[in-house]
Each structure stands twice: as C-alpha cells, then as structure tokens.
Amino acid sequence: MNPILENILTRRSVRKYKTEQIADLELESILEAAKYAPSGGNSQSWHFTVVQNTDKLEELNQWVRNAFSNLVVDDTTYRSKKAGKAAAVNESYNFYYHAPTLIIVSNEREYSNALADTGAALQNIFLAAHALDIGSCWINQLTWFCDDIPVRSMLTSLRIPENHKVCGAAALGYIAGNFPKAVSRKEGMVHIVS
C-alpha cells in the first residue's frame, strides 16, 4: 500500500499517554507539517500555541472543569458536551487525557475560513504525529469554552491573541498501552455522480 494512504488509514485517536515528553525535533516536524496545510487564499492566519508545562495544563484543566459545571444542557445539546459535563464532575477528569503536549490552534475571529483552515492544519498535525509514532487526539473543549471568561483569561496568558478564537487542539504524546483498534466506518456516506 502507498505509505501516505497507509498513514491516513492507520491513524487512530489515542487517549492514553506516557508521561515522557515528546522530543523537540519531533515537535518541530509536527509544527512544520501544520504550517504547510492549505489555507483559504493562502492566508496562513492560524496560530499554534504549544503547552508542555504540567502546571499550566493542570490549571487549564481546572478552568475547563469549572466551565463544564456552569454549562446548561438539554435534549438538543451536542452529546459530547453532555458526556463532558457528566465526566468533569470527577476529580480524575482530564480533557486532554494527560498528554504531555497540547497544541492549541486558533485563528482570527472575523476570518470566515478559520475553522476549515484550522481543521486542515490539525489533520496535518495528526498525520505527522502518527508517522513519527506519536499518539494524538483532537480536543474540542477549548473551542467550546474559548469565550468563558476564566478560560479566555488563561488562553490569553498563554499568548493566544485576543482577536483569535480557538478552533481546535491536539493532544500529543507517546502511546501508553495498546494502539487503539479501528472503528468500522459508516456505509452510505459516499455518492458518486458521473
């Protein structure tokens, strides 16, 4: 099989990490791949914030837990938000799965292609990490709570620009335990019109 296609088809979301920090050279390679993602009009307006400080990560986790406690949910609430609110009441809750590295990707609030561009950059992060035998997982909580006042204050202290919104994040680290198995893909999602 083509190595690029194999990398895409074998990548999985990892939720168990070793405490050992990833190597600087690996991080640099992953960030370089992120910067080479396509962007609308070649704007390259994204911003990558790498957090590896354990104390900062734990503080951010506490603010996310607090934001979940204030989140009002009902029958129309996205199921992952409901599950997150239920999980966040536990002291052991950790939104980034205790990964030693968290890359927060933000983009300009008024830029209409922010989410698409960021999604492409995050996919490059995940594929580059997988190619380097580093586990990764897409993290949404900072997107949901980017404008929660204490969370936003913490994000600003991490030097995420005030005019940016968080569009996603990537947990990164060496995999602890077994590599996750593939989940079957849904049928009927592809229609070819010729």
Side-chain angles (χ1 to χ4, degrees):
M1 179 183 285
N2 176 290
I4 295 171
L5 291 176
E6 183 176 8
N7 190 49
I8 292 169
L9 296 177
T10 59
R11 188 216 61 81
R12 301 285 175 267
S13 294
V14 172
R15 293 177 176 86
K16 290 184 181 176
Y17 300 95
K18 295 179 180 177
T19 56
E20 175 189 357
Q21 188 54 265
I22 64 173
D24 289 346
L25 189 58
E26 293 168 329
L27 177 61
E28 288 170 20
S29 297
I30 291 167
L31 290 169
E32 192 69 7
K35 292 189 290 185
Y36 272 82
S39 61
N42 197 29
S43 65
Q44 301 180 43
S45 58
W46 45 52
H47 184 86
F48 304 98
T49 303
V50 179
V51 186
Q52 294 182 314
N53 179 295
T54 305
D55 292 338
K56 296 280 186 193
L57 287 168
E58 289 295 334
E59 183 182 354
L60 189 55
N61 187 64
Q62 189 56 53
W63 288 123
V64 167
R65 287 186 67 212
N66 290 348
F68 266 126
S69 71
N70 296 324
L71 179 67
V72 176
V73 299
D74 59 27
D75 291 340
T76 64
T77 304
Y78 174 49
R79 62 187 165 104
S80 291
K81 283 186 175 180
K82 286 182 188 177
K85 181 175 177 69
V89 299
N90 298 315
E91 284 294 322
S92 62
Y93 174 78
N94 189 279
F95 80 91
Y96 58 92
Y97 304 105
H98 298 284
T101 295
L102 183 69
I103 301 176
I104 304 167
V105 189
S106 62
N107 212 320
E108 297 171 4
R109 285 184 181 276
E110 303 305 318
Y111 174 50
S112 61
N113 219 45
L115 188 57
D117 291 3
T118 302
L122 279 162
Q123 182 69 355
N124 277 15
I125 287 170
F126 301 134
L127 292 174
H130 182 51
L132 296 168
D133 291 323
I134 294 170
S136 65
C137 189
W138 188 305
I139 304 296
N140 276 322
Q141 289 84 342
L142 297 176
T143 304
W144 301 336
F145 299 125
C146 177
D147 292 323
D148 176 84
I149 293 171
V151 173
R152 180 66 242 188
S153 178
M154 178 83 191
L155 295 173
T156 301
S157 77
L158 295 172
R159 297 180 29 202
I160 294 174
E162 286 279 358
N163 68 325
H164 275 218
K165 62 183 176 183
V166 173
C167 296
L172 297 173
Y174 299 122
I175 301 165
N178 296 326
F179 190 73
K181 294 186 187 226
V183 175
S184 61
R185 298 300 172 203
K186 295 178 181 178
E187 295 296 324
M189 295 185 296
V190 177
H191 300 282
I192 299 174
V193 180
S194 54

